[in-house]
Amino acid sequence: MLRFDVLTLFPDMVAPVLAHSMLKRGQEKGLLTVKGHNLRDFTADRHKVVDDMPYGGGAGMVMKAEPILLAVAAIRHEAQASGEDIRMMFPTPHGRPFTQDHARQLADERRRIVILCGHYEGVDERVRMALAPEEVSLGDYVLTGGELPALVLIDAAARLVPGVLGDPVSALEESFVDALLEYPQYTRPAEIGGIGVPDVLLSGHHEAIRLWRRKQALRSTYVRRPDLLKGRIFTKEDQQLLDELMSEGLLTAPTSTPGGGLSP
Ligand code: SAM
């Protein structure tokens, strides 16, 4: 069972996302639990103050350390009472980029994963000093809070837990598996506005379909995310498919523009 504890000032932001689709099913099947903890419940004052002005001045408010440290201590205590350990995570733009490998590692985690959601200008630095959380970033941009990143971590990990997805093969045949982007997908109707579906997908020839998909995955990755192929040693089959793409003139110079590069 994958277990998350989310420390947040806005538990109502987190709960609705967990009430739908695969995440809901994962919880119903007992494969996943997510518990939201309102940091205001760990304040000692009458007004339940969780933030304060930054020392040194400046815009915005900073989340106070004490409620966070108390909340983590309470979760750690509860975990230890049942012989468990915790893994502390903090989504922040300062963290290392969150990747599919990271998601896979989380999916195998047996400890309770505690995610601290920052908000406002961020969190008192002493929280990082005291808890030394694993810091992960969703990308080089700034969000209003850590709630969406926490949900991203939970979603990315939970869908890799066997039984959460409807079809377990889905997680084996998708982008970043084998460090490639996924091949293009099509569904009915067979023609839209004069654009059809590649003949091979209608052929029923499984090996030909497999090779076509592999080739398209290599092409897409080469064009859109050449960084994923850096240092890669290609199998004989992949090299052959790349050679074919080259000779068909379908591999142009890599482009870093999303959606740029080759036409379908
Ligand atoms: N003042 C901070 C800075 O400049 O680095 C940004 C604080 S942000 C408005 C509030 C919180 O949102 C952060 O503490 C973090 O938990 C979360 N957050 C924002 N952007 C994020 C990102 N790219 N990845 C992960 N978490 C992020």
Side-chain angles (χ1 to χ4, degrees):
M1 146 104 66
L2 191 56
R3 175 142 202 203
F4 289 95
D5 292 271
V6 181
L7 305 183
T8 170
L9 296 178
F10 302 97
D12 291 348
M13 278 181 75
V14 177
V17 176
L18 301 167
H20 300 278
S21 186
M22 314 291 173
L23 294 182
K24 179 181 179 202
R25 188 173 43 209
Q27 292 169 92
E28 285 171 352
K29 284 178 151 181
L31 301 169
L32 165 76
T33 61
V34 184
K35 193 168 170 188
H37 303 265
N38 191 337
L39 286 168
R40 287 186 201 282
D41 295 341
F42 297 89
T43 51
D45 63 300
R46 204 156 55 92
H47 298 291
K48 298 187 178 294
V49 176
V50 286
D51 56 353
D52 209 333
M53 288 178 295
Y55 275 121
M61 300 295 271
V62 175
M63 283 172 66
K64 289 166 73 64
E66 300 100 311
I68 297 169
L69 297 177
L70 279 174
V72 173
I75 294 170
R76 200 188 296 277
H77 183 75
E78 190 187 293
Q80 280 168 354
S82 47
E84 293 171 303
D85 206 351
I86 68 167
R87 173 173 177 173
M88 192 68 220
M89 300 195 69
F90 179 39
T92 159
H94 302 236
R96 101 180 140 91
F98 184 65
T99 64
Q100 186 70 7
D101 278 347
H102 209 152
R104 255 179 236 121
Q105 206 203 26
L106 284 186
D108 289 336
E109 186 57 80
R110 291 288 144 256
R111 291 172 290 180
R112 275 168 73 163
I113 302 168
V114 181
I115 307 179
L116 168 62
C117 303
H119 226 94
Y120 312 125
E121 283 309 309
V123 173
D124 188 311
E125 184 68 7
R126 288 164 293 185
V127 170
R128 286 184 54 239
M129 293 175 179
L131 301 177
E134 203 176 327
E135 297 176 46
V136 289
S137 167
L138 285 208
D140 292 344
Y141 43 81
V142 179
L143 300 162
T144 52
E147 287 74 15
L148 291 173
L151 287 166
V152 168
L153 265 52
I154 293 168
D155 187 287
R159 65 190 294 287
L160 298 176
V161 173
V164 171
L165 291 188
D167 181 349
V169 176
S170 302
L172 301 175
E173 288 184 0
E174 63 187 358
S175 296
F176 305 113
V177 169
D178 196 18
L180 292 183
L181 301 180
E182 199 190 45
Y183 49 82
Q185 301 273 12
Y186 295 84
T187 187
R188 278 180 278 193
E191 194 189 301
I192 300 175
I195 304 177
V197 173
D199 289 341
V200 63
L201 297 180
L202 308 173
S203 70
H205 191 310
H206 296 303
E207 179 58 8
I209 293 172
R210 183 190 72 76
L211 279 174
W212 180 86
R213 286 180 164 165
R214 186 74 188 173
K215 192 168 165 178
Q216 297 307 316
L218 285 163
R219 177 188 177 194
S220 184
T221 312
Y222 184 95
V223 173
R224 294 184 170 98
R225 291 290 307 275
D227 55 299
L228 295 175
L229 298 178
K230 222 169 149 191
R232 186 185 180 100
I233 298 167
F234 294 107
T235 61
K236 218 168 136 192
E237 180 180 275
D238 283 353
Q239 191 55 61
Q240 201 175 326
L241 293 170
L242 282 167
D243 291 346
E244 278 176 35
L245 286 163
M246 284 290 181
S247 62
E248 289 160 11
L250 292 175
L251 280 194
T252 55
T255 171
S256 57
T257 317
L262 301 170
S263 54

